[in-house]
Structures are given as C-alpha cells and as structure tokens.
Amino acid sequence: MDAIRVRGARQLKGNIRVGGAKNAALPILCATLLSDGESLLRNVPGLRDIETTADLLRTLGRDLTVDIPEVRVKQTSRPVVPEAPYELVRQMRASVLVLGPLVARYGKAKVSLPGGCQIGARPVDQHLLGLEALGAKIAVEHGFIVAEAPRLRGAEVVFDMPTVTGTENLMMAAALAKGRTTLVNCAREPEVEELGRVLNKMGARVEGAGTSIIHIQGADELEPFDHAIIADRIEAGTFMAAVGAAGGDVLLEHAPLDDLEPVIVKLRRVGMEIEREGEHARVRRLGRLVATDVATSPHPGFPTDMQAQFMALMCVASGRSVVTETVFENRFMHVPELGRMGARIEAHNNIAIVEGVPRLSGASVMATDLRASASLVIAGLVADDETIVRRVYHLDRGYEAIEKKLAGAGADVTRIKLESEEA
Ligand code: UD1
C-alpha cells in the first residue's frame, strides 16, 4: 500500500500550481444529469473523488471521457437508471449530490445513505426536508433514500443550518422544478456560487448564489454546458500552511486569494507574508510563527477544511493557541497523530489547546481523513528525520499528486510502497 515519506528541515522555494476545486467539480459533474447532450468540464483536478463520481455517473447511464484536466459527459442510448449503489456512495459522501438532479429530471431517485470521511454524524436530513418541500415523496428503506415526484414544484425552503451539499442539491432540483424556489439560510461557499454560474449557463435563472438567500426560476429543460472550474481554495490554503511549516518563498500559481480571505488573515497574523502577484500569490514565512486562536465556521468564516492544517502550524508556533471546531463534531482525529510527532495538544470535545514547540520529531503516523492527512504531511515538513504518513488513499481523494507538487518546490516528499498489511 502507498505511503508518503517526508524528510523535514528543507525550505520550500519555487512554484506550485493550484488545481481546480474538488468541491466545485463534484456538484458540477452531478449537474450534467440535468440535461442531455454533451457537457465539457475544464480545469478538473485528477483526484479519486472525481473518479468515484465518474464511476457513479457511468453506473447511472452516462458516458464519460476523463482526460484530466478535462471531463466530457455525454448521454448514451441506454436509459438512465436513477439508482446510486452503496458500493460507490460509501466511498464518498458527496455522491448524495445526484439525489436532487435525478429526482428533478427522472422523477425518481434511489441513493444509498452516504459514507465518506468519518468526521461526525453528518446527516442529510436538510437535503430530504428540502426535496419534500419541493413535492418529492421521500422514504428511507434498506439503507437507501428513495425520492419520487412526477414533477417538482417551486417552494420556499428554510435550512436549519447552512449546508454546502444540501444547498447544492436543492439548487439543482429547483433548476428543473415548475415555478420559483426560494432557499433561505443557504451555505455561502464559493463552490455554491460556482454551481449557480453553471446552472445559469444551462438555462436556469439562479439569483443570489453565494449569499444566504437564493432564488431559482426553474426551466422545463436545461442545456449542456462548457465550464472551467474555479481554483481550489483549500488546496491553496494547504500549500500556504506548508510554506508556514517549512519556511521559504513560493509562488502559488492561480491561488484564489479572494476565496481564502479568512485563512489569509490568520496566516498573516501568525507571521506569514501573502501577496498578490497578478493571478498568483507570493507566500513567505517571515520568522518563527506566533500562536493565535482560531474557530471554524461556515463561509465566510475560517473553513473547517483548513482546521487540521492550521493546527499543524500552531504545533510549532511560539505560544499557546486555542483551536475550536464548530462545524463538525469528531474532527480532531489528527490530534493523537500529531502528538506522536511531539506536538503538545490537549483536546476536550471540540476545543484543542496547542502549546507550540520549536520542532516536531519524525514518526510513522496514520492518515484518518482527507484534511487530517494533509496536516500530517505539513507536520512532517517541520519534523526532524523521517515521517511516514500511512493510508494515503485519504490524501488521494482530495489532493492531486501532493508529493510531486511539494517536491517540485524543494521538499523531500516521496510516495513509497509499504509491504506490510498494516500500511
Ligand atoms: C461540504 C464539503 C466539505 C466541508 C463541509 C463544510 C463538499 C463536497 N464537501 O460537506 O469538504 O468540510 O462542506 O464546509 O462540498 N448537516 C446536518 N444535516 C444535513 C446537512 C448537514 O445536520 O442535512 C450538518 C453537518 O453534520 C455539519 C454541518 O451541517 O455539522 C455542515 O455540513 P455540510 O455543509 O452539509 O457539509 P457537506 O456539504 O457534507
């Protein structure tokens, strides 16, 4: 099984290119179900989650040509079977994003209850309540969500909390519903805004995507589209944190600085310099980092998807930092692993208190979820000797060739094969 080996104590220097946003590409791939004809997605990252979504769309009856960074999705002569099996959905929670398009377009959807990163209960009740408000009949049977509606009708949906994929599922469903839908208390993430742009290209009328209230005028039919995906703010933020750990000076190509404002504010506060250079970002560490507190919250707050990477930085900052996770319970699975590398962290429920130490020490550690894995690679960059990060399939879900990108900027990071079953 693959692992990532990191030898620390080398500064990063050079260029790193930021790829397309995973969390934008996934709903946009699912949106292809809303129309016939051929859609073209550009700037798609080469990730396992993209492959899983491609397999899911093929299982449903679409023809996909994946030639990264491009993906073409075509209808086939086979009828669409609106059923998403457990085998695929369990690999990736975002598979639930086919639910809205399938019921809107085909009148029926049967989607296995999701799996994905084990970071808390992560229910989908808001997706289901929303679809019910649009007129779908919903049942949960034998581990599957079954939704049916001859034609969805526009309605008002008020979410109990902002949910990213919940908002996206409802936007896609409403795009083919009869009449006007208003979604209230929506997630405001840039990826939601991006989906709004695509649905508008397809012929729906979406207003307010990226704000907490979205209006959607449904269409009877939607058109295929050609779209280049926005850059991945979390990948960019992860490389910024890598520079914070290793030190150095990196030009992050195509870093979406505007989408990363809450992260950049914190990184500057702890002692990093981040400057716009045309469409790129120059990232430097000025001296030893200083501790600061951080609390995650929905966009435009500090993203939960950057919490683990930021905590890795705080492990080597001077002083004490309090890291509070408010979006997901159980998202501190990196804490014991960072502890094995010499970090001093005490975690209680959703609060971690980190006492910075000058250096970490390399160890064999286990990736437990996507962003936790990235935090261990970052910690490895500032650790003595060698760090082996196991279970890299988590990393491969959301980072395209992270070892090559870091090595291209001078880090000693390689993918190795481990013999043992325990890998
Ligand atoms: C998306 C992102 C993920 C990110 C997360 C939060 C994608 C593919 N994934 O996940 O990377 O970490 O946003 O920024 O875009 N909740 C409910 N009921 C629901 C839906 C959500 O209680 O029906 C809760 C969740 O348990 C969680 C919170 O709402 O506590 C936010 O979750 P949500 O925004 O839905 O996360 P995802 O869309 O799954």
Side-chain angles (χ1 to χ4, degrees), residues 22-24 26-27 49 92-94 96-97 119-128 159 161-168 187 189 191 233-234 297-299 303-305 326-329 331 370-371 397:
K22 167 177 92 74
N23 286 353
L26 300 181
D49 275 7
M92 190 191 65
R93 180 188 152 81
V96 75
L97 283 166
I119 52 172
R122 303 185 82 175
V124 290
D125 56 306
Q126 299 300 306
H127 305 231
L128 304 188
F159 293 109
M161 79 282 291
T163 149
V164 176
T165 48
T167 303
E168 292 165 346
E189 270 67 2
E191 295 78 18
R233 64 194 167 103
I234 304 299
S297 61
H299 194 76
T304 174
D305 283 351
T326 74
V327 179
F328 291 114
E329 76 260 37
R331 205 176 194 179
L370 169 53
R371 306 305 169 184
R397 284 191 49 209

Side-chain angles (χ1 to χ4, degrees), residues 121-387:
R122 303 185 82 175
V124 290
D125 56 306
Q126 299 300 306
H127 305 231
L128 304 188
L129 289 173
L131 290 172
E132 265 178 343
L134 265 60
K137 270 215 222 102
I138 309 265
V140 177
E141 298 166 351
H142 311 295
F144 281 83
I145 303 161
V146 182
E148 279 178 275
R151 172 95 198 253
L152 295 174
R153 297 179 311 269
E156 176 158 310
V157 175
V158 182
F159 293 109
D160 291 339
M161 79 282 291
T163 149
V164 176
T165 48
T167 303
E168 292 165 346
N169 237 335
L170 265 293
M171 287 166 75
M172 291 188 279
L176 274 182
K178 190 169 176 55
R180 186 175 163 88
T181 295
T182 300
L183 306 175
V184 178
N185 197 20
C186 295
R188 291 176 284 168
E189 270 67 2
E191 295 78 18
V192 173
E193 200 177 338
E194 175 81 338
L195 177 63
R197 281 190 281 271
V198 169
L199 293 174
N200 282 334
K201 278 189 180 173
M202 296 180 82
R205 295 218 316 267
V206 180
E207 284 167 25
T211 74
S212 55
I213 300 183
I214 304 179
H215 299 287
I216 300 144
Q217 181 66 44
D220 290 336
E221 275 186 17
L222 293 170
E223 299 291 322
F225 59 88
D226 174 339
H227 189 76
I229 311 277
I230 51 169
D232 195 313
R233 64 194 167 103
I234 304 299
E235 191 197 17
T238 301
F239 287 128
M240 288 178 184
V243 178
D249 181 338
V250 164
L251 188 73
L252 262 190
E253 296 174 12
H254 306 290
L257 291 186
D258 295 335
D259 295 342
L260 259 177
E261 201 52 36
V263 174
I264 291 172
V265 166
K266 286 289 176 185
L267 291 176
R268 287 193 178 128
R269 193 167 298 162
V270 302
M272 295 188 62
E273 197 174 82
I274 297 161
E275 284 167 356
R276 199 181 290 271
E277 277 190 17
E279 56 183 19
H280 312 306
R282 170 75 52 193
V283 183
R284 296 188 189 98
R285 189 184 75 193
L286 300 178
R288 181 164 178 207
L289 299 176
V290 289
T292 194
D293 298 342
V294 72
T296 64
S297 61
H299 194 76
F302 189 93
T304 174
D305 283 351
M306 277 299 299
Q307 178 258 109
Q309 302 91 311
F310 193 81
M311 189 187 291
L313 280 190
M314 292 301 92
C315 292
V316 289
S318 82
R320 166 190 289 198
S321 143
V322 180
V323 178
T324 309
E325 171 59 56
T326 74
V327 179
F328 291 114
E329 76 260 37
N330 197 19
R331 205 176 194 179
F332 280 157
M333 274 123 54
H334 40 289
V335 167
E337 298 304 301
L338 290 169
R340 300 186 66 244
M341 297 177 70
R344 289 177 51 202
I345 310 171
E346 263 186 52
H348 303 283
N349 301 322
N350 66 330
I351 296 177
I353 298 167
V354 186
E355 290 287 350
V357 294
R359 294 198 69 72
L360 297 172
S361 66
S364 188
V365 288
M366 192 103 89
T368 44
D369 74 43
L370 169 53
R371 306 305 169 184
S373 319
S375 79
L376 298 174
V377 173
I378 290 169
L381 294 172
V382 67
D384 294 329
D385 297 331
E386 192 170 278
T387 296

